[in-house]
Amino acid sequence: MKGKEPVVRVGIMSASEIEVKFLGDKNEFELKDVTIGINFHWERKENQRFRGELEILRNEDGTATAVNAIPMEEYLKSVISSEMSATSSMELLKAHSVISRSWLLAQIDRKRRYNGKDDPKAEDRSETEEKIVRWYDRDDHDKFDVCADDHCQRYQGVTRMTSKTVEEAVEATRGEVLMMDNEICDARFSKCCGGVMEVFQNCWEPKDHGYLRPLRDDEHPKENVPDLTVESSAKDWIESEEASFCNTKDRALLEQVLNHYDREDISFYRWEETFLPGELDNLVKERSGIDFGEILEITPVRRGPSGRIYLLKISGTKKTVLVGKELEIRKWFSKSHLKSSAFIVEKTPEGGWIMKGAGWGHGVGLCQIGAAVMASKGYGYKEILSHYFPGSTLEKIY
């Protein structure tokens, strides 16, 4: 039996003071100085407008949190326009509507099932002086269903004006979700997989999802998949420019897919970072809180099937530490977040470091750049979903 459309409670911002302006004639309200892109290189503040109900919650530390309650389908119209450009192709927007809806409903269902009991959130994490393994997921929120920033899904109200195409894409897929084994799929997505998709358990809890597989992002996903868990293969792959759906620098296409702050750097598929002598030592010390002294070696210990490192050894003159998973590694090697943990690194003769990498984000599930290219080539949204979530089925639940 089909259910009713759920109402989503979205945490917009927390601050010591929250300034709200109600726009009565439009049934909207505006929040001042909402921070977007928290801890990323595009972090900034915006005034944002929202529809639906507003709730102000008091926190124990004296701050307040603004929560917006809004019907699921209206929420999705903003998410799709916030995650990508509202001028994207119809089939891409349909695909993203389905995965955004699926992901959020899967999180709500997961929270309801565990209800704080026997939750495996702490599994596969450890913190000692020699080993730090952390992973972050969206179940950190207990006062609302989902936050409004990149930690969950970008939701920026009606600030990102939805186009008629976005509205049509959401309505055309109304209530549709991906399913497997009678459960809604935890449908993840990232900017660019870098050519091969990563598996869930290398980024989050140690759970295998049958619909999140290590496949190539091309027309023959199951063929010629390189073993990127092997260091030599990963090096060859990262230094190559093999054809993949997400291997594109087509600015016209990217402008249809990405908001302006995501186009400030279009090095998605392959990228390179250079560190001067001493620069990486200071950066890692600042970001990790650990004084390694002079970093002597950076050694991948475990790589996933996309080439992403999820356990890394850093050896310095003062200390040696193992660090994981992929997001924690990315945090230590950048002022915000390194594009990806699928990288190789070498020391220069002068004592600096050169880092070469592949992809942007965790690489699990749908690759936004790859999906955009697929849509431009004439693939329908169901074909796009089948490519990135093999074995799943599309079902309408309300």
Side-chain angles (χ1 to χ4, degrees):
M1 181 181 292
K2 294 180 181 178
K4 295 174 62 177
E5 177 184 358
V7 172
V8 183
R9 298 181 71 251
V10 190
I12 307 299
M13 64 183 296
S14 294
S16 56
E17 293 183 358
I18 296 178
E19 185 176 348
V20 184
K21 180 179 180 181
F22 291 98
L23 308 173
D25 57 329
K26 296 182 180 180
N27 193 30
E28 297 176 358
F29 61 91
E30 182 179 75
L31 295 176
K32 303 286 187 181
D33 294 331
V34 178
T35 303
I36 66 171
I38 296 172
N39 294 327
F40 286 88
H41 64 271
W42 60 83
E43 181 175 323
R44 64 201 69 190
K45 291 183 181 295
E46 288 187 343
N47 295 341
Q48 295 184 347
R49 291 183 293 117
F50 301 89
R51 295 185 182 129
E53 299 178 3
L54 171 65
E55 182 180 359
I56 303 296
L57 306 178
R58 185 183 299 275
N59 301 319
E60 293 180 358
D61 62 0
T63 63
T65 297
V67 177
N68 180 203
I70 187 169
M72 171 68 80
E73 302 302 307
E74 290 302 308
Y75 163 80
L76 288 174
K77 291 173 184 177
S78 173
V79 165
I80 306 309
S81 299
S82 301
E83 282 286 348
M84 298 180 296
S85 168
T87 60
S88 301
S89 68
M90 174 63 81
E91 297 306 303
L92 173 61
L93 293 172
K94 285 181 181 178
H96 219 296
S97 297
V98 172
I99 63 171
S100 293
R101 186 184 295 111
S102 300
W103 172 80
L104 180 51
L105 289 174
Q107 305 315 302
I108 293 174
D109 183 60
R110 182 182 190 276
K111 186 178 292 186
R112 181 176 63 249
R113 282 187 287 114
Y114 287 114
N115 194 26
K117 299 177 182 178
D118 300 322
D119 192 328
K121 181 178 177 182
E123 289 184 29
D124 206 27
R125 293 177 175 174
S126 62
E127 293 198 28
T128 67
E129 287 192 4
E130 292 78 29
K131 185 177 182 181
I132 297 174
V133 176
R134 299 169 180 156
W135 51 267
Y136 306 83
D137 214 345
R138 279 70 170 180
D139 55 358
D140 296 328
H141 307 304
D142 56 5
K143 294 185 177 180
F144 41 83
D145 296 321
V146 64
C147 72
D149 203 38
D150 293 77
H151 178 261
C152 293
Q153 295 184 125
R154 290 182 191 172
Y155 169 70
Q156 296 167 358
V158 294
T159 307
R160 296 281 178 268
M161 295 301 292
T162 60
S163 68
K164 184 178 180 181
T165 307
V166 169
E167 293 182 355
E168 290 177 353
V170 173
E171 289 300 329
T173 64
R174 180 180 180 83
E176 289 186 352
V177 296
L178 293 172
M179 301 281 294
M180 179 177 274
D181 298 331
N182 296 317
E183 288 188 0
I184 299 175
C185 294
D186 191 343
R188 304 290 168 130
F189 58 90
S190 64
K191 282 286 178 287
C192 177
C193 69
V196 175
M197 303 162 215
E198 189 51 73
V199 294
F200 181 91
Q201 57 267 38
N202 289 344
C203 301
W204 300 286
E205 67 181 276
K207 184 175 181 179
D208 180 49
H209 291 295
Y211 47 85
L212 298 173
R213 310 313 313 159
L215 305 174
R216 287 193 68 144
D217 190 24
D218 62 21
E219 295 178 349
H220 307 286
K222 297 181 181 179
E223 298 178 11
N224 302 316
V225 182
D227 186 358
L228 303 184
T229 64
V230 176
E231 194 62 28
S232 58
S233 296
K235 183 177 187 298
D236 291 343
W237 176 258
I238 291 169
E239 291 183 326
S240 73
E241 283 278 349
E242 294 203 24
S244 299
F245 285 133
C246 57
N247 184 5
T248 181
K249 291 184 172 63
D250 184 336
R251 286 189 174 272
L253 175 65
L254 295 175
E255 286 176 3
Q256 293 179 15
V257 179
L258 303 172
N259 285 306
H260 61 91
Y261 46 79
D262 283 331
R263 300 197 305 269
E264 293 172 358
D265 179 0
I266 64 168
S267 300
F268 305 119
Y269 190 68
R270 295 293 183 268
W271 48 266
E272 184 173 311
E273 297 282 348
T274 302
F275 300 92
L276 298 174
E279 188 176 9
L280 193 61
D281 305 333
N282 294 330
L283 175 62
V284 173
K285 179 181 178 181
E286 175 188 340
R287 296 291 286 163
S288 70
I290 299 171
D291 184 3
F292 287 89
E294 179 188 353
I295 295 177
L296 304 175
E297 292 184 350
I298 300 171
T299 310
V301 177
R302 295 178 189 164
R303 287 187 186 269
S306 72
R308 283 167 172 79
I309 304 167
Y310 64 97
L311 189 63
L312 181 75
K313 183 167 74 171
I314 304 174
S315 303
T317 54
K318 293 183 179 180
K319 202 170 185 64
T320 295
V321 174
L322 292 168
V323 58
K325 294 185 176 182
E326 63 89 31
L327 184 55
E328 189 69 10
I329 294 169
R330 291 164 58 198
K331 285 184 173 184
W332 285 22
F333 284 90
S334 172
K335 289 286 187 182
S336 56
H337 294 73
L338 196 67
K339 285 192 177 73
S340 161
S341 69
F343 62 79
I344 56 175
V345 64
E346 60 184 38
K347 203 160 190 177
T348 67
E350 298 76 23
W353 296 88
I354 297 176
M355 187 177 290
K356 298 177 182 179
W360 185 4
H362 51 68
V364 179
L366 182 134
C367 170
Q368 290 177 311
I369 303 299
V373 172
M374 288 186 71
S376 73
K377 291 178 176 290
Y379 288 88
Y381 83 103
K382 294 180 181 179
E383 293 174 295
I384 294 172
L385 293 172
S386 293
H387 173 70
Y388 289 109
F389 304 95
S392 64
T393 59
L394 189 64
E395 298 185 24
K396 187 177 179 69
I397 62 172
Y398 62 81

